[in-house]
Amino acid sequence: MKKLATLISAAVLSASMSTAASAQDTMAIVVSTLNNPFFVTMKEGAEAKAKDLGYNLIVLDSQNDPSKELSNIEDLTVRGVKAILINPTDSDAVSNAIRMLTARTSLY
């Protein structure tokens, strides 16, 4: 959990160091489940920080289902979000989503 919090913090920090966000800039967070209070708190913190930085934030719940997680990520690529933060449901399964993102976008 500590490793996940560090990863998310680093991603939010790197987003804040990029060019100033305009009102239409959107980021997303794909959460493994919102049935766990830890991840609800993480979502709330991400929403607050995104608002402070001037970003819209889309939060999607994968409901601990790797196929739903992949579907959520595919949806976000179609929406053209600026950044996607992923709390994976399964570390092996998320690699397919990362490969798909790499093929469709230019990761920085």
Side-chain angles (χ1 to χ4, degrees):
M1 298 280 181
K2 187 175 181 181
K3 192 176 188 181
L4 174 64
T6 302
L7 176 64
I8 290 172
S9 298
V12 171
L13 179 61
S14 66
S16 68
M17 297 175 111
S18 65
T19 59
S22 62
Q24 72 272 15
D25 285 343
T26 302
M27 297 184 343
I29 184 168
V30 179
V31 183
S32 60
T33 182
L34 288 174
N35 289 329
N36 181 323
F38 174 82
F39 298 117
V40 172
T41 302
M42 183 176 70
K43 173 192 82 89
E44 292 167 351
E47 288 171 331
K49 189 62 174 180
K51 183 177 180 183
D52 289 347
L53 296 172
Y55 283 89
N56 295 317
L57 182 69
I58 298 169
V59 179
L60 298 177
D61 181 359
S62 297
Q63 302 168 349
N64 280 327
D65 181 352
S67 62
K68 175 126 175 92
E69 179 177 81
L70 181 60
S71 176
N72 285 339
I73 294 168
E74 288 173 336
D75 177 47
L76 293 170
T77 61
V78 171
R79 292 187 193 193
V81 296
K82 299 283 183 185
I84 301 173
L85 306 173
I86 304 171
N87 161 233
T89 58
D90 179 293
S91 58
D92 292 328
V94 77
S95 64
N96 292 329
I98 300 301
R99 281 199 262 322
M100 187 245 340
L101 282 171
T102 304
R104 290 186 183 186
T105 62
S106 57
L107 299 176
Y108 302 98

